[in-house]
Amino acid sequence: DRPNIRYAIEEKDNPRAQLKAFLKRHEGESGIVYCLSKRKTEETAEWLRGQGYDALPYHAGMDKASREANQQRFQQGEAVVMVATNAFGMGIDKPDVRFVAHHDLPGSIEAFYQETGPAGRDGLPSETLMLYGPEDIALRSRFIAESDAPDQRKAMERQKLDALLGLAETAGCRRQVLLSYFGDHSEPCGNCDTCAEPPRLFDATIAVQKALSCIYRTGERFGQAYVVDVLLGAG
């Protein structure tokens, strides 16, 4: 349990605007922004530099000397934002990492926990943010389906993805869900977004029944946009 870390997860709306608002709370501080691909890592680092941040890229496609130079600048500097793939993070020894943001959905709760681990190693308050959306879920699912792993391994990876989505979509305390995944227990922490601002809940039973009925009656052949149009009487 890392009680000094505040966990927050948001569904993607305007990812760059969401990331910018998050970083604005940490101006003058160092942190990490994780991206899924090398291309997005480079693009995000360039965009952040345009926003006035000292942002550096780090991914496996860079030459070793450039990666090592950027890592050294991050470890020794102040107010440096490292934009990286999951190739970064192992063995990072920088106590004053004040924030970790995931621009894209990580692969599992284990990956999320490991990648947020560098935050707040000095024991001072630190913050994490994970952004996710339907495209991330579809991409992660495709990675699993198209891998050469045996079926048993694929089933395990799907379970891990489901567990991560359970963390993302919980209406309860994020820390409780995170710790229970690893077999630990805690009371509601009061230091995550769902504790600070509990989401509004409603009984969706009838709405779900109507949606499932519509899917069945239209032959289970159409995507969500068509099903929504039918339910709303559009078109």
Side-chain angles (χ1 to χ4, degrees):
D1 187 13
R2 304 283 304 283
N4 61 312
I5 297 179
R6 182 183 191 275
Y7 296 103
I9 301 176
E10 297 177 8
E11 193 165 351
K12 285 183 178 179
D13 178 19
N14 183 334
R16 284 192 170 180
Q18 289 168 283
L19 180 60
K20 186 176 179 180
F22 175 74
L23 294 181
K24 191 171 179 62
R25 300 198 295 271
H26 296 280
E27 289 186 356
E29 298 175 339
S30 291
I32 305 168
V33 177
Y34 282 104
C35 297
L36 183 57
S37 67
K38 301 170 189 175
R39 178 181 174 183
K40 184 174 280 189
T41 296
E42 292 282 357
E43 291 175 348
T44 303
E46 183 179 0
W47 171 70
L48 286 175
R49 286 194 295 273
Q51 301 295 311
Y53 292 95
D54 185 6
L56 306 172
Y58 187 104
H59 57 77
M62 298 169 60
D63 64 84
K64 184 179 179 181
S66 297
R67 287 201 311 271
E68 290 180 349
N70 285 358
Q71 181 168 330
Q72 187 173 22
R73 272 192 60 197
F74 175 72
Q75 294 207 168
Q76 297 178 353
E78 297 180 1
V80 178
V81 180
M82 182 67 86
V83 185
T85 62
N86 61 7
F88 182 75
M90 297 297 288
I92 295 303
D93 185 21
K94 184 176 174 64
D96 60 342
V97 175
R98 293 274 70 87
F99 63 88
V100 174
H102 281 87
H103 195 283
D104 305 298
L105 187 71
S108 64
I109 288 184
E110 289 92 342
F112 172 76
Y113 183 77
Q114 181 180 14
E115 290 162 12
T116 56
R121 288 185 175 169
D122 54 6
L124 297 177
S126 302
E127 188 175 12
T128 72
L129 172 68
M130 185 177 86
L131 301 176
Y132 78 107
E135 299 85 0
D136 298 274
I137 300 169
L139 188 59
R140 286 291 181 186
S141 297
R142 195 170 80 239
F143 284 167
I144 296 170
E146 295 178 356
S147 77
D148 295 327
D151 290 343
Q152 186 176 4
R153 176 70 181 181
K154 288 183 178 182
M156 185 185 302
E157 293 300 321
R158 282 191 287 268
Q159 289 176 355
K160 288 186 175 186
L161 179 59
D162 287 343
L164 180 64
L165 294 176
L167 172 65
E169 297 175 354
T170 184
C173 172
R174 305 245 189 238
R175 194 180 309 274
Q176 281 187 311
V177 176
L178 184 62
L179 292 178
S180 68
Y181 180 81
F182 294 109
D184 290 336
H185 173 75
S186 78
E187 297 301 319
C189 69
N191 190 32
C192 67
D193 56 344
T194 48
C195 281
E197 297 182 33
R200 280 182 55 241
L201 303 178
F202 68 98
D203 185 348
T205 303
I206 293 176
V208 170
Q209 287 173 340
K210 288 180 178 179
L212 291 174
S213 176
C214 181
I215 292 169
Y216 176 74
R217 291 174 181 275
T218 53
E220 303 179 40
R221 296 184 293 115
F222 299 98
Q224 63 183 18
Y226 181 83
V227 173
V228 170
D229 284 344
V230 172
L231 287 167
L232 295 178

